[in-house]
Amino acid sequence: MMTESLENNNKFTIKYYKEFLTLAKDQGYLFVTLRDFLKKGCPSKGHVVLRHDLDLKPQTMQKMLDVENELGINSSIFVRITGNAYNFLSYPVLHMIRKAELDGHEIGLHTSCVEFGQINKVDPLKILSLECDLLSKFVNLEGIAPHRDLNYAYNSLPYIEKNWDEIQKLGVSYHAYQKQIEDACVYVNEGFNPHLCWRKYAPEEVIPTGNSMCILTHNHWWYDVHPFEEWR
């Protein structure tokens, strides 16, 4: 039974997260990583891909992972290597993502190679190569997802699509916005309109249809009691 809903569209609680995952699981949905979804041929029915973009506040990611581990669900977590948000090589962040992989979750790269390249006057492919090389030293890296800061215009996705043949030589096999993924899934993600809400569909609206979903979440918007509780 759902106790949170779109009527409380800015209440992205861990309780609500567990509720809609449990609802999907009870309806017979199979949860797979993005990597495994592609390997299965991107089935359009009965599958959920949980994708986490680890943009900010990595200390808040563990709460979502705890729910997934409790429910026996695996997800795909895309982490940042360059940028000012957090240090991937800090003791707690590296420990968390390596532990997540051991628990069955997939770790991918969340890259802003074009933005970083524009700011520092460096070839984006060099940035992307460095990121892939570093991350693959610690995890089994297969996928990338572009990141863009909300207040900056340089989106890496067009660059990735245009240069995909070269990028694949870096050892990655997919990016998160490939057409076969988007064609097979209902895309569910948070956004602002003007406040935080589900952009188009809520998971509980799609679940009764049986259609496959790609649910994109950002951990820094989810909480137990309030969005600033990590400072308690």
Side-chain angles (χ1 to χ4, degrees), residues 121-186:
K121 305 296 187 293
V122 181
D123 180 356
L125 191 61
K126 288 185 177 180
I127 302 299
L128 188 55
S129 176
L130 179 149
E131 292 179 312
C132 289
D133 183 61
L134 181 57
L135 186 55
S136 64
K137 293 288 193 299
F138 298 97
V139 301
N140 177 25
L141 176 64
E142 292 190 39
I144 62 175
H147 168 78
R148 178 174 59 173
D149 287 308
L150 291 175
N151 61 342
Y152 203 62
Y154 291 103
N155 185 357
S156 295
L157 180 57
Y159 176 88
I160 289 171
E161 292 176 330
K162 182 179 179 181
N163 296 278
W164 185 238
D165 288 344
E166 286 298 311
I167 291 171
Q168 284 183 292
K169 295 176 183 177
L170 302 178
V172 295
S173 60
Y174 76 86
H175 69 79
Y177 293 100
Q178 288 181 193
K179 188 175 187 299
Q180 60 266 46
I181 300 170
E182 296 189 329
D183 287 348
C185 292
V186 178

Side-chain angles (χ1 to χ4, degrees), residues 37-162:
F37 185 69
L38 282 159
K39 290 179 179 177
K40 294 186 71 171
C42 298
S44 62
K45 289 287 186 179
H47 287 69
V48 175
V49 175
L50 282 181
R51 171 183 155 194
H52 301 292
D53 284 357
L54 194 61
D55 290 353
L56 302 167
K57 299 182 181 178
Q59 67 270 26
T60 65
M61 182 74 247
Q62 191 59 53
K63 293 177 183 179
M64 304 184 87
L65 291 174
D66 288 344
V67 170
E68 294 165 20
N69 292 339
E70 179 184 343
L71 296 176
I73 289 170
N74 293 330
S75 61
S76 297
I77 308 160
F78 290 85
V79 302
R80 300 180 67 179
I81 303 301
T82 54
N84 295 334
Y86 57 87
N87 179 8
F88 156 73
L89 289 175
S90 68
Y91 301 129
V93 176
L94 185 60
H95 173 79
M96 179 182 68
I97 67 167
R98 295 182 76 185
K99 174 65 164 54
E101 187 176 51
L102 289 174
D103 288 337
H105 305 282
E106 176 191 11
I107 308 300
L109 171 65
H110 199 30
T111 182
S112 53
C113 58
V114 172
E115 174 182 292
F116 197 88
Q118 287 281 350
I119 292 171
N120 292 285
K121 305 296 187 293
V122 181
D123 180 356
L125 191 61
K126 288 185 177 180
I127 302 299
L128 188 55
S129 176
L130 179 149
E131 292 179 312
C132 289
D133 183 61
L134 181 57
L135 186 55
S136 64
K137 293 288 193 299
F138 298 97
V139 301
N140 177 25
L141 176 64
E142 292 190 39
I144 62 175
H147 168 78
R148 178 174 59 173
D149 287 308
L150 291 175
N151 61 342
Y152 203 62
Y154 291 103
N155 185 357
S156 295
L157 180 57
Y159 176 88
I160 289 171
E161 292 176 330
K162 182 179 179 181

